[in-house]
Amino acid sequence: MRFIASEENVRVTGRTLVAGEVRYLGYSGSSVSFCFAGKTAKALIVSDADHWPAELKGRIAVYIDDAKEPAQRICLDREEAWYTLYESDEERKVTVTLVKYSEAPFGLCGVKELEIDTDRLLDVPAHKERKIEIIGDSITCGYGVEAAGEMIPFHTETENPAKSYSLLTADLLDAEANLVSWSGNGIISHYVEETAVERRIEGGLMPKVYQFTDMSGSARLCGADENTWERWDFRRFVPQVIVVNLGTNDGSWCKEIPERKEHYGKEYIAFLRSIRANNPEAQILCILGTMDRRLVPTLEQAVGEYSEEQKDDRVHFLALPEHTAADGYGADWHPSSLTQEKTAKLVAAKVRKIMNW
């Protein structure tokens, strides 16, 4: 039996684009799950593999039932191919979940068709009642978390959102996660080198990225005209809590320059207004500090100013400890898996307090 990845057939998590009958998993951690009775399950997946070197190709992981570790990880190194997701000698009821591990700006992952060896496609797996949205940068994506050390360059093979604080936090809270994360991104600037004389804004900063379902995927599927890009319908996912982890890359531009810090604070407040307008009931938790603490005081002040200005007591702040050599580093000095685990515990504890979970 063959079927498409429609919401009538599969559970969808995260922001996904649909083009024709192909569902594109965009952001880290986005997924499709289906349940069937049989021996074999396969997926026909399309990608733009030929446009990317090996270190930037799309990657997915396949989970079976409630397993905490994936049964396999797949590099999408072909433009279109069938991949075996599950295979057994015995027929049984199985839940298969296909998760995007690489982040949105790199290789596409389009689920074109799914196939099982029987006609016994079962009920769509249920969504979780608790819902959390996490907006962030490379730390949220799990950039380089599986790399051997800080001198290892970026490779999608070592990027794993399941080992990032983001999905770890969701797991600790038993919540469904919706990640909007993009490496190098920020509020007023992408990451810049120490000697940079201009901030980087090309390609879209997070306040703009947040408005679209998948800005990167839209650009590749629809072209450069932003009017053709799909805007996110905030009714599709209504989180009880939103975590914002932005400022690490802005810090590379702001440094300790007062007017730049002030600019960051003002634009952060503007982004909070946008988040609130689209999520009127959500609690919002603003966090920062794992890799760069220079903007932590500015962020704390901005959260306070916003709360007072808007009379909004559902916005909160959490300063994170800076990672240490003792806990190790991932690729390009990013957080190690141990640091990510520690961060998840801190964030989950704060969310539990806020939400009374």
Side-chain angles (χ1 to χ4, degrees), residues 237-251:
F237 185 85
V238 182
Q240 292 103 333
V241 60
I242 298 171
V243 176
V244 186
N245 189 358
L246 293 170
T248 298
N249 296 299
D250 299 285

Side-chain angles (χ1 to χ4, degrees), residues 249-311:
N249 296 299
D250 299 285
S252 70
W253 167 247
C254 294
K255 302 179 177 65
E256 297 294 347
I257 301 171
E259 57 268 28
R260 295 182 184 178
K261 287 187 169 185
E262 182 180 0
H263 183 203
Y264 167 80
K266 287 182 177 179
E267 292 303 316
Y268 199 107
I269 289 172
F271 188 39
L272 284 176
R273 293 195 202 102
S274 174
I275 293 172
R276 173 59 73 216
N278 290 302
N279 303 273
E281 303 300 324
Q283 297 280 355
I284 303 172
L285 173 61
C286 305
I287 66 175
L288 187 64
T290 304
M291 289 183 69
D292 189 329
R293 295 183 59 81
R294 286 177 289 188
L295 286 175
V296 168
T298 306
L299 175 55
E300 184 174 17
Q301 181 179 345
V303 170
E305 289 179 3
Y306 167 84
S307 296
E308 183 176 354
E309 167 197 297
Q310 298 294 319
K311 301 297 186 288

Side-chain angles (χ1 to χ4, degrees), residues 43-60:
L44 179 60
I45 298 177
V46 296
S47 185
D48 52 353
D50 292 348
H51 290 76
W52 300 97
E55 65 271 18
L56 298 181
K57 293 186 189 299
R59 291 178 182 268
I60 58 173

Side-chain angles (χ1 to χ4, degrees), residues 88-126:
S88 174
D89 293 332
E90 297 181 2
E91 181 175 313
R92 71 177 183 90
K93 178 182 175 181
V94 185
T95 299
V96 179
T97 301
L98 194 157
V99 183
K100 181 88 178 298
Y101 262 27
S102 53
E103 60 183 281
F106 305 126
L108 289 172
C109 172
V111 182
K112 186 174 184 179
E113 200 168 9
L114 296 159
E115 181 181 77
I116 57 177
D117 64 318
T118 67
D119 60 358
R120 298 175 63 195
L121 182 64
L122 305 179
D123 290 344
V124 175

